[in-house]
Amino acid sequence: MMTYELAAIFLGSALRLAAPLLLAATGELVSQKSGVLNTSVEGMMLTGAFLSAYGSWLTGSPTLGLLIAMIGIIPLSLLQAFLSITLRSNQLVTGIGINILALGGTTLAYREIFGARSNMIVPGLDKWTPFGLGHGTLIGDTIFNQVWLVYLGLVILILTGIILRYTTLGIAINAVGTAPRAVDQSGLSVAKIRYGAVLFSGIMSAAAGSLISIGDIHTFTEGMTNGIGFLVIAAIIFGNWKIGRTTLACLLFGAASSLQFQLPLLNIHVPTALLIVLPYLLALLAVAGLIGRQTAPAALTQPYQRS
């Protein structure tokens, strides 16, 4: 039976597990709205996780570690943008290549710096309860007491939604992903808008990876993102490229991940492997189009070349 205490623990865990998805999905949605499918989001999250952990260990400051990750991801983001936008390479292939590069690069760097069997613990980001909501109570300490980056991410998500819907910049981003030639003829640079969108996606992915390494477990392990980046892409498809629905999809995936910890507490015996794979099953349903019709930006994955 689900008690009050278990319900609070479940909600807090679901939000904690959904937070990296929300951060990365905010950036990835902007990238896809501009017409660039940044499939390297997984590798960028993993790179951000390593850079923030290394930066936090090196400086003793998790905030500086986060900043190092967000700056350090810029070259990788520019590489993705250069290959996809300037060279007009296949966006799926370049993304997979960068993911492999990130996995190999972070693994090698981790082993060289810390050793293959290291159990390093690094300084982590502080938790914060906004406006003292329920402070000292079960709900406040379990649900609202989250790493401050979670709340900053929610603010950025809301601002991104407002910008995409109500500002000139948002109109330009949406137009580039729908009718890039019309944007070009209006005098705006398609390439610059897309470069900016991919750069934003990379920075948000690095922040998401940092939330995992220095916000949650305070260490780095090889391949620690475990496919979360692909769940981000699935959440956007699940959300039909709308920021509100994408947010709900991220929360759903977070709740599904949380079940693997909660069901045993309820004496509900389900194979652990099934619980681990549950978010990915939901993602498969989304990608397969079994949760409704999806309408992607018309120019998504299509390189643009001025005539």
Side-chain angles (χ1 to χ4, degrees):
M1 179 178 177
M2 178 68 80
T3 64
Y4 173 80
E5 291 81 4
L6 288 178
I9 292 172
F10 172 72
L11 291 175
S13 175
L15 178 58
R16 177 176 58 82
L17 294 172
L21 292 171
L22 288 168
L23 279 169
T26 302
E28 177 66 16
L29 180 62
V30 172
S31 180
Q32 292 195 27
K33 285 280 191 179
S34 75
V36 180
L37 177 60
N38 182 17
T39 49
S40 62
V41 62
E42 169 76 7
M44 291 182 179
M45 288 181 67
L46 184 59
T47 302
F50 171 76
L51 289 176
S52 60
Y54 178 59
S56 180
W57 173 79
L58 195 64
T59 65
S61 169
T63 303
L64 284 178
L66 173 63
L67 185 61
I68 288 170
M70 295 174 74
I71 295 175
I73 202 65
I74 291 176
L76 199 61
S77 302
L78 291 176
L79 174 63
Q80 172 69 66
F82 178 73
L83 293 173
S84 301
I85 302 166
T86 303
L87 297 186
R88 298 186 294 278
S89 302
N90 185 292
Q91 294 174 13
L92 292 173
V93 174
T94 57
I96 292 172
I98 289 176
N99 286 335
I100 295 172
L101 175 64
L103 177 60
T106 55
T107 298
L108 176 62
Y110 174 75
R111 293 183 180 182
E112 286 295 320
I113 296 172
F114 301 105
R117 299 182 181 276
S118 172
N119 293 316
M120 66 156 186
I121 300 297
V122 301
L125 296 170
D126 294 329
K127 291 188 175 182
W128 178 61
T129 303
F131 311 113
L133 287 173
H135 182 65
T137 66
L138 177 65
I139 291 180
D141 293 340
T142 307
I143 300 177
F144 296 115
N145 189 31
Q146 301 282 349
V147 172
W148 60 263
L149 184 57
V150 173
Y151 295 107
L152 178 60
L154 291 175
V155 171
I156 294 174
L157 185 148
I158 293 170
L159 290 176
T160 300
I162 293 172
I163 289 171
L164 286 175
R165 185 164 185 175
Y166 297 109
T167 68
T168 303
L169 176 60
I171 292 172
I173 292 172
N174 283 291
V176 165
T178 304
R181 190 163 301 280
V183 173
D184 188 23
Q185 291 172 348
S186 73
L188 296 175
S189 171
V190 172
K192 287 182 180 179
I193 294 173
R194 287 185 169 178
Y195 260 84
V198 173
L199 188 59
F200 178 65
S201 175
I203 291 172
M204 293 303 294
S205 296
S210 301
L211 188 56
I212 298 173
S213 61
I214 63 173
D216 191 3
I217 62 175
H218 299 184
T219 190
F220 177 83
T221 58
E222 299 171 11
M224 69 185 304
T225 48
N226 292 322
I228 294 176
F230 300 109
L231 280 182
V232 169
I233 296 174
I236 292 172
I237 299 172
F238 201 104
N240 199 22
W241 289 269
K242 293 180 174 59
I243 197 162
R245 289 179 57 175
T246 297
T247 299
L248 292 177
C250 291
L251 292 173
L252 176 62
F253 290 165
S257 298
S258 181
L259 285 177
Q260 62 184 287
F261 307 108
Q262 300 304 314
L263 290 184
L265 296 177
L266 298 173
N267 292 321
I268 299 176
H269 301 290
V270 178
T272 303
L274 178 61
L275 294 176
I276 293 174
V277 82
L278 182 58
Y280 300 94
L281 289 176
L282 293 175
L284 178 62
L285 294 178
V287 174
L290 300 180
I291 46 83
R293 181 183 176 184
Q294 286 90 39
T295 308
L300 182 62
T301 74
Q302 297 179 11
Y304 177 71
Q305 184 175 11
R306 302 186 71 178
S307 57

PDB file of all heavy atoms in Angstrom, residues 74-101:
ATOM      1  N   ILE A  74      31.783  23.691 -25.282  1.00  0.00           N
ATOM      2  CA  ILE A  74      31.633  24.546 -26.464  1.00  0.00           C
ATOM      3  C   ILE A  74      32.374  24.000 -27.687  1.00  0.00           C
ATOM      4  O   ILE A  74      31.794  23.946 -28.785  1.00  0.00           O
ATOM      5  CB  ILE A  74      32.065  25.988 -26.142  1.00  0.00           C
ATOM      6  CG1 ILE A  74      31.050  26.624 -25.174  1.00  0.00           C
ATOM      7  CG2 ILE A  74      32.185  26.828 -27.408  1.00  0.00           C
ATOM      8  CD1 ILE A  74      31.419  28.024 -24.706  1.00  0.00           C
ATOM      9  N   PRO A  75      33.644  23.555 -27.565  1.00  0.00           N
ATOM     10  CA  PRO A  75      34.307  23.004 -28.753  1.00  0.00           C
ATOM     11  C   PRO A  75      33.576  21.804 -29.353  1.00  0.00           C
ATOM     12  O   PRO A  75      33.481  21.671 -30.576  1.00  0.00           O
ATOM     13  CB  PRO A  75      35.692  22.599 -28.225  1.00  0.00           C
ATOM     14  CG  PRO A  75      35.920  23.480 -27.050  1.00  0.00           C
ATOM     15  CD  PRO A  75      34.567  23.641 -26.419  1.00  0.00           C
ATOM     16  N   LEU A  76      33.044  20.929 -28.501  1.00  0.00           N
ATOM     17  CA  LEU A  76      32.309  19.762 -29.005  1.00  0.00           C
ATOM     18  C   LEU A  76      31.012  20.192 -29.687  1.00  0.00           C
ATOM     19  O   LEU A  76      30.617  19.625 -30.709  1.00  0.00           O
ATOM     20  CB  LEU A  76      32.022  18.803 -27.847  1.00  0.00           C
ATOM     21  CG  LEU A  76      31.676  17.355 -28.221  1.00  0.00           C
ATOM     22  CD1 LEU A  76      32.834  16.709 -28.966  1.00  0.00           C
ATOM     23  CD2 LEU A  76      31.348  16.552 -26.966  1.00  0.00           C
ATOM     24  N   SER A  77      30.353  21.205 -29.127  1.00  0.00           N
ATOM     25  CA  SER A  77      29.128  21.724 -29.744  1.00  0.00           C
ATOM     26  C   SER A  77      29.421  22.355 -31.097  1.00  0.00           C
ATOM     27  O   SER A  77      28.662  22.169 -32.061  1.00  0.00           O
ATOM     28  CB  SER A  77      28.478  22.761 -28.819  1.00  0.00           C
ATOM     29  OG  SER A  77      28.176  22.218 -27.559  1.00  0.00           O
ATOM     30  N   LEU A  78      30.516  23.103 -31.166  1.00  0.00           N
ATOM     31  CA  LEU A  78      30.896  23.726 -32.429  1.00  0.00           C
ATOM     32  C   LEU A  78      31.270  22.670 -33.472  1.00  0.00           C
ATOM     33  O   LEU A  78      31.006  22.850 -34.673  1.00  0.00           O
ATOM     34  CB  LEU A  78      32.056  24.689 -32.208  1.00  0.00           C
ATOM     35  CG  LEU A  78      31.718  25.961 -31.414  1.00  0.00           C
ATOM     36  CD1 LEU A  78      32.968  26.792 -31.177  1.00  0.00           C
ATOM     37  CD2 LEU A  78      30.653  26.790 -32.133  1.00  0.00           C
ATOM     38  N   LEU A  79      31.861  21.567 -33.026  1.00  0.00           N
ATOM     39  CA  LEU A  79      32.174  20.475 -33.944  1.00  0.00           C
ATOM     40  C   LEU A  79      30.897  19.891 -34.523  1.00  0.00           C
ATOM     41  O   LEU A  79      30.793  19.662 -35.737  1.00  0.00           O
ATOM     42  CB  LEU A  79      32.982  19.395 -33.221  1.00  0.00           C
ATOM     43  CG  LEU A  79      33.258  18.120 -34.027  1.00  0.00           C
ATOM     44  CD1 LEU A  79      34.108  18.432 -35.258  1.00  0.00           C
ATOM     45  CD2 LEU A  79      33.959  17.073 -33.148  1.00  0.00           C
ATOM     46  N   GLN A  80      29.923  19.638 -33.660  1.00  0.00           N
ATOM     47  CA  GLN A  80      28.633  19.128 -34.122  1.00  0.00           C
ATOM     48  C   GLN A  80      27.992  20.102 -35.108  1.00  0.00           C
ATOM     49  O   GLN A  80      27.486  19.701 -36.166  1.00  0.00           O
ATOM     50  CB  GLN A  80      27.709  18.898 -32.933  1.00  0.00           C
ATOM     51  CG  GLN A  80      26.256  18.554 -33.299  1.00  0.00           C
ATOM     52  CD  GLN A  80      26.127  17.187 -33.924  1.00  0.00           C
ATOM     53  OE1 GLN A  80      26.369  16.170 -33.275  1.00  0.00           O
ATOM     54  NE2 GLN A  80      25.750  17.133 -35.187  1.00  0.00           N
ATOM     55  N   ALA A  81      28.016  21.386 -34.778  1.00  0.00           N
ATOM     56  CA  ALA A  81      27.416  22.395 -35.656  1.00  0.00           C
ATOM     57  C   ALA A  81      28.162  22.482 -36.982  1.00  0.00           C
ATOM     58  O   ALA A  81      27.540  22.583 -38.054  1.00  0.00           O
ATOM     59  CB  ALA A  81      27.413  23.751 -34.948  1.00  0.00           C
ATOM     60  N   PHE A  82      29.493  22.450 -36.932  1.00  0.00           N
ATOM     61  CA  PHE A  82      30.292  22.544 -38.150  1.00  0.00           C
ATOM     62  C   PHE A  82      30.004  21.379 -39.091  1.00  0.00           C
ATOM     63  O   PHE A  82      29.811  21.568 -40.303  1.00  0.00           O
ATOM     64  CB  PHE A  82      31.782  22.581 -37.790  1.00  0.00           C
ATOM     65  CG  PHE A  82      32.697  22.639 -38.981  1.00  0.00           C
ATOM     66  CD1 PHE A  82      32.817  23.797 -39.728  1.00  0.00           C
ATOM     67  CD2 PHE A  82      33.445  21.523 -39.345  1.00  0.00           C
ATOM     68  CE1 PHE A  82      33.657  23.853 -40.837  1.00  0.00           C
ATOM     69  CE2 PHE A  82      34.281  21.562 -40.450  1.00  0.00           C
ATOM     70  CZ  PHE A  82      34.392  22.733 -41.195  1.00  0.00           C
ATOM     71  N   LEU A  83      29.954  20.181 -38.541  1.00  0.00           N
ATOM     72  CA  LEU A  83      29.697  19.007 -39.366  1.00  0.00           C
ATOM     73  C   LEU A  83      28.277  19.022 -39.942  1.00  0.00           C
ATOM     74  O   LEU A  83      28.063  18.706 -41.121  1.00  0.00           O
ATOM     75  CB  LEU A  83      29.910  17.730 -38.544  1.00  0.00           C
ATOM     76  CG  LEU A  83      31.352  17.448 -38.090  1.00  0.00           C
ATOM     77  CD1 LEU A  83      31.379  16.250 -37.152  1.00  0.00           C
ATOM     78  CD2 LEU A  83      32.260  17.219 -39.290  1.00  0.00           C
ATOM     79  N   SER A  84      27.306  19.401 -39.111  1.00  0.00           N
ATOM     80  CA  SER A  84      25.901  19.332 -39.524  1.00  0.00           C
ATOM     81  C   SER A  84      25.471  20.496 -40.400  1.00  0.00           C
ATOM     82  O   SER A  84      24.691  20.318 -41.342  1.00  0.00           O
ATOM     83  CB  SER A  84      24.999  19.280 -38.280  1.00  0.00           C
ATOM     84  OG  SER A  84      25.299  18.167 -37.480  1.00  0.00           O
ATOM     85  N   ILE A  85      25.991  21.696 -40.091  1.00  0.00           N
ATOM     86  CA  ILE A  85      25.496  22.910 -40.750  1.00  0.00           C
ATOM     87  C   ILE A  85      26.411  23.363 -41.879  1.00  0.00           C
ATOM     88  O   ILE A  85      25.965  23.596 -43.001  1.00  0.00           O
ATOM     89  CB  ILE A  85      25.316  24.035 -39.714  1.00  0.00           C
ATOM     90  CG1 ILE A  85      24.338  23.594 -38.618  1.00  0.00           C
ATOM     91  CG2 ILE A  85      24.823  25.317 -40.383  1.00  0.00           C
ATOM     92  CD1 ILE A  85      24.335  24.475 -37.391  1.00  0.00           C
ATOM     93  N   THR A  86      27.695  23.473 -41.582  1.00  0.00           N
ATOM     94  CA  THR A  86      28.636  23.961 -42.593  1.00  0.00           C
ATOM     95  C   THR A  86      28.956  22.891 -43.630  1.00  0.00           C
ATOM     96  O   THR A  86      28.889  23.146 -44.836  1.00  0.00           O
ATOM     97  CB  THR A  86      29.937  24.448 -41.923  1.00  0.00           C
ATOM     98  OG1 THR A  86      29.619  25.465 -40.967  1.00  0.00           O
ATOM     99  CG2 THR A  86      30.898  25.014 -42.965  1.00  0.00           C
ATOM    100  N   LEU A  87      29.315  21.692 -43.159  1.00  0.00           N
ATOM    101  CA  LEU A  87      29.653  20.609 -44.089  1.00  0.00           C
ATOM    102  C   LEU A  87      28.413  19.856 -44.575  1.00  0.00           C
ATOM    103  O   LEU A  87      28.518  19.044 -45.488  1.00  0.00           O
ATOM    104  CB  LEU A  87      30.623  19.631 -43.427  1.00  0.00           C
ATOM    105  CG  LEU A  87      31.996  20.190 -43.039  1.00  0.00           C
ATOM    106  CD1 LEU A  87      32.899  19.077 -42.529  1.00  0.00           C
ATOM    107  CD2 LEU A  87      32.656  20.908 -44.209  1.00  0.00           C
ATOM    108  N   ARG A  88      27.272  20.110 -43.943  1.00  0.00           N
ATOM    109  CA  ARG A  88      25.994  19.481 -44.321  1.00  0.00           C
ATOM    110  C   ARG A  88      26.087  17.948 -44.291  1.00  0.00           C
ATOM    111  O   ARG A  88      25.549  17.264 -45.158  1.00  0.00           O
ATOM    112  CB  ARG A  88      25.528  19.973 -45.696  1.00  0.00           C
ATOM    113  CG  ARG A  88      25.257  21.472 -45.742  1.00  0.00           C
ATOM    114  CD  ARG A  88      24.672  21.891 -47.074  1.00  0.00           C
ATOM    115  NE  ARG A  88      25.636  21.709 -48.152  1.00  0.00           N
ATOM    116  CZ  ARG A  88      26.597  22.580 -48.446  1.00  0.00           C
ATOM    117  NH1 ARG A  88      26.720  23.686 -47.745  1.00  0.00           N
ATOM    118  NH2 ARG A  88      27.437  22.350 -49.432  1.00  0.00           N
ATOM    119  N   SER A  89      26.782  17.430 -43.271  1.00  0.00           N
ATOM    120  CA  SER A  89      26.889  15.980 -43.114  1.00  0.00           C
ATOM    121  C   SER A  89      25.590  15.417 -42.547  1.00  0.00           C
ATOM    122  O   SER A  89      24.748  16.151 -42.008  1.00  0.00           O
ATOM    123  CB  SER A  89      28.046  15.647 -42.166  1.00  0.00           C
ATOM    124  OG  SER A  89      29.260  16.175 -42.637  1.00  0.00           O
ATOM    125  N   ASN A  90      25.437  14.108 -42.660  1.00  0.00           N
ATOM    126  CA  ASN A  90      24.271  13.436 -42.103  1.00  0.00           C
ATOM    127  C   ASN A  90      24.255  13.628 -40.589  1.00  0.00           C
ATOM    128  O   ASN A  90      25.205  13.245 -39.903  1.00  0.00           O
ATOM    129  CB  ASN A  90      24.311  11.944 -42.457  1.00  0.00           C
ATOM    130  CG  ASN A  90      23.063  11.207 -42.002  1.00  0.00           C
ATOM    131  OD1 ASN A  90      22.821  11.051 -40.821  1.00  0.00           O
ATOM    132  ND2 ASN A  90      22.281  10.748 -42.964  1.00  0.00           N
ATOM    133  N   GLN A  91      23.189  14.206 -40.079  1.00  0.00           N
ATOM    134  CA  GLN A  91      23.144  14.565 -38.662  1.00  0.00           C
ATOM    135  C   GLN A  91      23.110  13.344 -37.750  1.00  0.00           C
ATOM    136  O   GLN A  91      23.642  13.387 -36.629  1.00  0.00           O
ATOM    137  CB  GLN A  91      21.936  15.474 -38.403  1.00  0.00           C
ATOM    138  CG  GLN A  91      22.073  16.824 -39.101  1.00  0.00           C
ATOM    139  CD  GLN A  91      20.834  17.681 -38.967  1.00  0.00           C
ATOM    140  OE1 GLN A  91      19.937  17.403 -38.166  1.00  0.00           O
ATOM    141  NE2 GLN A  91      20.771  18.747 -39.756  1.00  0.00           N
ATOM    142  N   LEU A  92      22.513  12.261 -38.186  1.00  0.00           N
ATOM    143  CA  LEU A  92      22.491  11.041 -37.380  1.00  0.00           C
ATOM    144  C   LEU A  92      23.895  10.450 -37.272  1.00  0.00           C
ATOM    145  O   LEU A  92      24.331  10.049 -36.191  1.00  0.00           O
ATOM    146  CB  LEU A  92      21.532  10.020 -37.995  1.00  0.00           C
ATOM    147  CG  LEU A  92      20.046  10.362 -37.954  1.00  0.00           C
ATOM    148  CD1 LEU A  92      19.244   9.334 -38.743  1.00  0.00           C
ATOM    149  CD2 LEU A  92      19.554  10.412 -36.521  1.00  0.00           C
ATOM    150  N   VAL A  93      24.600  10.417 -38.397  1.00  0.00           N
ATOM    151  CA  VAL A  93      25.938   9.816 -38.415  1.00  0.00           C
ATOM    152  C   VAL A  93      26.913  10.650 -37.586  1.00  0.00           C
ATOM    153  O   VAL A  93      27.692  10.103 -36.791  1.00  0.00           O
ATOM    154  CB  VAL A  93      26.444   9.673 -39.864  1.00  0.00           C
ATOM    155  CG1 VAL A  93      27.892   9.184 -39.876  1.00  0.00           C
ATOM    156  CG2 VAL A  93      25.551   8.719 -40.644  1.00  0.00           C
ATOM    157  N   THR A  94      26.890  11.971 -37.749  1.00  0.00           N
ATOM    158  CA  THR A  94      27.813  12.818 -36.986  1.00  0.00           C
ATOM    159  C   THR A  94      27.528  12.723 -35.497  1.00  0.00           C
ATOM    160  O   THR A  94      28.464  12.712 -34.679  1.00  0.00           O
ATOM    161  CB  THR A  94      27.707  14.281 -37.441  1.00  0.00           C
ATOM    162  OG1 THR A  94      26.344  14.735 -37.294  1.00  0.00           O
ATOM    163  CG2 THR A  94      28.115  14.439 -38.889  1.00  0.00           C
ATOM    164  N   GLY A  95      26.254  12.654 -35.132  1.00  0.00           N
ATOM    165  CA  GLY A  95      25.904  12.538 -33.719  1.00  0.00           C
ATOM    166  C   GLY A  95      26.416  11.248 -33.114  1.00  0.00           C
ATOM    167  O   GLY A  95      26.969  11.238 -31.999  1.00  0.00           O
ATOM    168  N   ILE A  96      26.250  10.142 -33.832  1.00  0.00           N
ATOM    169  CA  ILE A  96      26.742   8.853 -33.341  1.00  0.00           C
ATOM    170  C   ILE A  96      28.256   8.883 -33.196  1.00  0.00           C
ATOM    171  O   ILE A  96      28.821   8.386 -32.214  1.00  0.00           O
ATOM    172  CB  ILE A  96      26.310   7.723 -34.297  1.00  0.00           C
ATOM    173  CG1 ILE A  96      24.790   7.536 -34.227  1.00  0.00           C
ATOM    174  CG2 ILE A  96      27.019   6.413 -33.948  1.00  0.00           C
ATOM    175  CD1 ILE A  96      24.240   6.580 -35.260  1.00  0.00           C
ATOM    176  N   GLY A  97      28.926   9.499 -34.174  1.00  0.00           N
ATOM    177  CA  GLY A  97      30.381   9.598 -34.107  1.00  0.00           C
ATOM    178  C   GLY A  97      30.847  10.385 -32.897  1.00  0.00           C
ATOM    179  O   GLY A  97      31.809   9.993 -32.213  1.00  0.00           O
ATOM    180  N   ILE A  98      30.185  11.489 -32.606  1.00  0.00           N
ATOM    181  CA  ILE A  98      30.567  12.310 -31.454  1.00  0.00           C
ATOM    182  C   ILE A  98      30.257  11.584 -30.148  1.00  0.00           C
ATOM    183  O   ILE A  98      31.014  11.682 -29.171  1.00  0.00           O
ATOM    184  CB  ILE A  98      29.860  13.678 -31.519  1.00  0.00           C
ATOM    185  CG1 ILE A  98      30.457  14.513 -32.659  1.00  0.00           C
ATOM    186  CG2 ILE A  98      29.996  14.432 -30.191  1.00  0.00           C
ATOM    187  CD1 ILE A  98      29.782  15.841 -32.877  1.00  0.00           C
ATOM    188  N   ASN A  99      29.175  10.822 -30.121  1.00  0.00           N
ATOM    189  CA  ASN A  99      28.864  10.030 -28.925  1.00  0.00           C
ATOM    190  C   ASN A  99      29.967   9.020 -28.641  1.00  0.00           C
ATOM    191  O   ASN A  99      30.383   8.829 -27.488  1.00  0.00           O
ATOM    192  CB  ASN A  99      27.531   9.297 -29.104  1.00  0.00           C
ATOM    193  CG  ASN A  99      26.335  10.221 -28.999  1.00  0.00           C
ATOM    194  OD1 ASN A  99      26.402  11.270 -28.370  1.00  0.00           O
ATOM    195  ND2 ASN A  99      25.239   9.847 -29.625  1.00  0.00           N
ATOM    196  N   ILE A 100      30.447   8.360 -29.690  1.00  0.00           N
ATOM    197  CA  ILE A 100      31.542   7.385 -29.526  1.00  0.00           C
ATOM    198  C   ILE A 100      32.813   8.091 -29.080  1.00  0.00           C
ATOM    199  O   ILE A 100      33.537   7.606 -28.197  1.00  0.00           O
ATOM    200  CB  ILE A 100      31.770   6.624 -30.850  1.00  0.00           C
ATOM    201  CG1 ILE A 100      30.537   5.779 -31.194  1.00  0.00           C
ATOM    202  CG2 ILE A 100      33.007   5.738 -30.751  1.00  0.00           C
ATOM    203  CD1 ILE A 100      30.590   5.137 -32.565  1.00  0.00           C
ATOM    204  N   LEU A 101      33.088   9.247 -29.681  1.00  0.00           N
ATOM    205  CA  LEU A 101      34.265  10.031 -29.299  1.00  0.00           C
ATOM    206  C   LEU A 101      34.193  10.440 -27.830  1.00  0.00           C
ATOM    207  O   LEU A 101      35.194  10.344 -27.095  1.00  0.00           O
ATOM    208  CB  LEU A 101      34.357  11.278 -30.182  1.00  0.00           C
ATOM    209  CG  LEU A 101      35.466  12.290 -29.835  1.00  0.00           C
ATOM    210  CD1 LEU A 101      36.841  11.658 -30.038  1.00  0.00           C
ATOM    211  CD2 LEU A 101      35.322  13.548 -30.695  1.00  0.00           C
TER     212      LEU A 101
END
